[in-house]
């Protein structure tokens, strides 16, 4: 899934080379850590891959523009948390 997330992230950020891959991989790891801190246990699913990619893209954009977390991302995190709590 890591390679898929990296490809999605490059496409989302319109990065067409692999020159920034180490930085992007670090953002993906950081996104996973931050998502876990929200109380989400990530699984090896496409849904969680997309969530991780969205969070990593937000971290990339935030470093330059200091933008607030997109509402779509916040909703996705909240829905994922609620879905996880409903599985109990």
């Amino acid at each position: 899934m890591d390679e898929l997330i990296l490809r999605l992230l490059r496409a989302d950020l319109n990065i067409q080379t692999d020159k920034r891959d180490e930085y992007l991989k670090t953002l993906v790891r950081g996104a996973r850590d931050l998502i876990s801190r929200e109380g989400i246990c990530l699984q090896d699913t496409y849904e969680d891959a997309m969530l991780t990619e969205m969070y990593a893209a937000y971290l990339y954009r935030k470093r330059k523009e200091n933008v607030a977390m997109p509402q779509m991302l916040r909703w996705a995190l909240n829905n994922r948390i609620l879905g996880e709590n409903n599985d109990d």
Side-chain angles (χ1 to χ4, degrees), residues 37-48:
R37 192 177 298 162
E38 297 256 353
I40 297 169
C41 296
L42 291 169
Q43 306 296 317
D44 195 22
T45 65
Y46 289 110
E47 178 184 4
D48 283 352

Side-chain angles (χ1 to χ4, degrees), residues 13-66:
L13 299 173
N14 199 25
I15 296 173
Q16 299 176 5
T17 68
D18 61 359
K19 291 182 181 182
R20 294 186 186 153
D21 278 4
E22 286 308 310
Y23 179 67
L24 296 177
K25 288 176 185 179
T26 301
L27 288 178
V28 169
R29 286 190 295 270
R32 281 192 182 117
D33 290 347
L34 291 166
I35 291 168
S36 293
R37 192 177 298 162
E38 297 256 353
I40 297 169
C41 296
L42 291 169
Q43 306 296 317
D44 195 22
T45 65
Y46 289 110
E47 178 184 4
D48 283 352
M50 291 296 297
L51 182 61
T52 303
E53 185 282 324
M54 285 190 298
Y55 207 116
Y58 158 66
L59 293 174
Y60 183 89
R61 291 181 177 110
K62 181 177 172 34
R63 85 191 203 304
K64 289 175 72 174
E65 303 166 17
N66 197 24

